[in-house]
Amino acid sequence: MNYVGEITGVGSFLPPKAVTNFDLEKLLNTNDEWIQQRTGIVKRHWVENNVSTSDLAYEASIEAIKNAGISNTDIDMIIFATLSPDHDFPGTGCFLQAKLEVPNITVLDIRQQCSGFLYGLSIADKFIRTGEHKNILLVGAEIHSKGLDKTPEGRDVSVLFGDGAGAVVISAKEATGDSSQSQIISCALHADGSFAKELWLPGPGNAFNSDSRCSKEMIDEGLHYPKMNGRNVFIHAVKRMAETLSQTLAKNKLKIDDVDLFLFHQANIRINEKVAEVMQIPADKIFNTIQDYGNTTAATIPIGMNDAIKAGKLKKGMTVGMAAFGSGFTWASGVLRY
Ligand code: ACO
């Protein structure tokens, strides 16, 4: 039997505490006008101290599983995309698995940052098409707020990021051969590690001339805070997102007119506007959430998917184009029929 993977359930969770640009003015020597003009962000959500990444993922997963009309125990694989794990090891997927009480299934953590959801979608699609798994839970979840430099020195990065989680259930369906069947149609995955240090978290780590992967010196130097060459990230993001999405559409003989909705990674509204300009995508076909949530990295696309469903913008049978770019550099695109 031939199978395709259909997204049968979507869920998301944002921690209740909203942090506005005006709140950040008090910490970061920044201002609402600068943040809105340069990024489009108005507010983001940050967790309280006692919340972990797997806690956010759990809430999103429960909603996705419920919307898929199945039980936790029907899930036979978890793919967890995050750059902000509960602990260095084991992977956060195992902590989520324990919370969902689904022992003995396959659990895979992936580390592709902002492209993590699309990498995960492609991996899930392959496992479904081989017939090896029937219901895969794919989660993107991040807690950035605990890892940001919340002083004026960190303002270029710290205004951008929010906490949140998004999840989808991908279920195996017998392929009908009908081109209108709901399914993940195609994904393309890319990376160029020569840009790894353009957006990265240096410490703690083993690539230091030290007998310890974590030292007081690292912390004194602020190496445990993310570093970013914002302009370079911006330029590459526009180029690569437009390039990979155009290629994926062409490969599947789809034109912009054939796509009902575009869900892009949410790093900066100006990146998405530029991609739209380059590809000549009408603004009303792009669903953005960055104004409310900031950049939640691996979670942005599934959170956007859930908000689009709730807003009536994404309906069964629609064709969706997706693209993401982030640290690595990694970038990816995908097309699905919802
Ligand atoms: N508030 C106020 N002023 C600031 C802030 C801030 N938060 N951050 C920087 N500035 C100042 C700088 O100090 C600089 O001042 P100066 O002119 O006196 O030297 C001025 O603003 C301009 O700084 P630039 O870095 O040149 O600003 P730019 O227009 O490039 O915008 C930004 C910066 C928003 C980070 C942009 O480069 C960008 O969006 N890059 C893409 C990177 C990105 O989105 N990363 C997210 C994670 S990666 C991903 O998900 C794709």
Side-chain angles (χ1 to χ4, degrees):
M1 198 180 290
N2 291 327
Y3 295 102
V4 296
E6 177 184 345
I7 293 188
T8 50
V10 184
S12 59
F13 184 75
L14 280 304
K17 185 172 84 179
V19 177
T20 66
N21 295 342
F22 295 105
D23 294 327
L24 294 186
E25 286 183 2
K26 295 170 203 144
L27 297 171
L28 299 176
N29 187 23
T30 187
N31 61 78
D32 175 62
E33 191 187 0
W34 191 98
I35 300 171
Q36 285 211 44
Q37 273 181 6
R38 305 279 174 134
T39 72
I41 300 168
V42 177
K43 63 182 173 72
R44 72 289 290 141
H45 290 245
W46 284 1
V47 295
E48 304 291 346
N49 290 352
N50 62 348
V51 175
S52 72
T53 307
S54 62
D55 289 335
L56 300 184
Y58 176 80
E59 299 295 339
S61 299
I62 289 295
E63 187 186 3
I65 292 167
K66 181 168 167 266
N67 287 338
I70 60 173
S71 308
N72 294 12
T73 49
D74 294 316
I75 298 293
D76 53 14
M77 180 177 189
I78 295 172
I79 303 175
F80 201 116
T82 187
L83 63 70
S84 50
D86 282 7
H87 302 279
D88 266 12
F89 74 86
T92 311
C94 288
F95 291 101
L96 174 64
Q97 178 193 23
K99 286 174 184 171
L100 290 170
E101 298 180 22
V102 287
N104 304 328
I105 64 168
T106 312
V107 176
L108 175 68
D109 271 60
I110 57 169
R111 309 236 348 214
Q112 274 62 34
Q113 298 69 246
C114 303
S115 312
F117 180 78
L118 292 180
Y119 266 73
L121 197 68
S122 182
I123 294 166
D125 187 39
K126 269 71 181 180
F127 273 104
I128 292 281
R129 284 179 189 269
T130 61
E132 200 163 319
H133 290 289
K134 296 280 173 259
N135 291 298
I136 299 178
L137 175 67
L138 167 62
V139 192
E142 308 284 359
I143 292 182
H144 287 299
S145 60
K146 295 191 188 191
L148 298 172
D149 180 357
K150 300 189 195 82
T151 70
E153 286 91 79
R155 68 179 182 176
D156 58 330
V157 174
S158 297
V159 299
L160 302 175
F161 290 101
D163 305 337
V168 297
V169 173
I170 301 135
S171 302
K173 302 283 168 168
E174 193 177 336
T176 62
D178 180 348
S179 66
S180 68
Q181 183 178 15
S182 292
Q183 61 185 288
I184 299 162
I185 298 170
S186 186
C187 295
L189 313 176
H190 313 269
D192 186 345
S194 63
F195 293 99
K197 294 185 179 178
E198 294 295 274
L199 176 52
W200 68 312
L201 186 70
N206 293 325
F208 290 93
N209 184 11
S210 162
D211 66 355
S212 170
R213 64 191 308 279
C214 183
S215 67
K216 182 174 176 306
E217 289 74 33
M218 282 175 204
I219 293 172
D220 290 345
E221 283 178 53
L223 298 179
H224 60 305
Y225 293 130
K227 313 288 173 218
M228 177 180 75
N229 178 346
R231 286 203 179 156
N232 216 10
V233 172
F234 193 103
I235 291 163
H236 283 264
V238 172
K239 177 171 178 261
R240 294 305 198 178
M241 284 169 66
E243 180 184 87
T244 182
L245 184 54
S246 300
Q247 287 168 356
T248 297
L249 292 177
K251 188 177 152 198
N252 292 284
K253 300 188 172 42
L254 291 168
K255 298 193 172 57
I256 301 293
D257 281 352
D258 300 319
V259 179
D260 300 296
L261 191 72
F262 289 89
L263 292 173
F264 291 154
H265 172 53
Q266 304 287 303
N268 185 322
I269 197 93
R270 286 162 52 225
I271 293 177
N272 293 355
E273 286 168 356
K274 281 273 178 204
V275 172
E277 188 185 312
V278 171
M279 294 184 67
Q280 298 186 304
I281 300 172
D284 63 353
K285 281 197 172 190
I286 301 174
F287 192 82
N288 287 315
T289 57
I290 190 164
Q291 62 282 357
D292 294 324
Y293 309 138
N295 182 352
T296 58
T297 306
T300 63
I301 293 179
I303 289 174
M305 204 176 269
N306 204 22
D307 276 16
I309 293 165
K310 287 176 179 166
K313 302 262 184 196
L314 176 55
K315 301 191 178 107
K316 270 288 165 197
M318 280 186 165
T319 303
V320 181
M322 297 163 290
F325 180 92
S327 166
F329 288 150
T330 59
W331 63 101
S333 59
V335 191
L336 61 83
R337 187 144 306 106
Y338 178 62

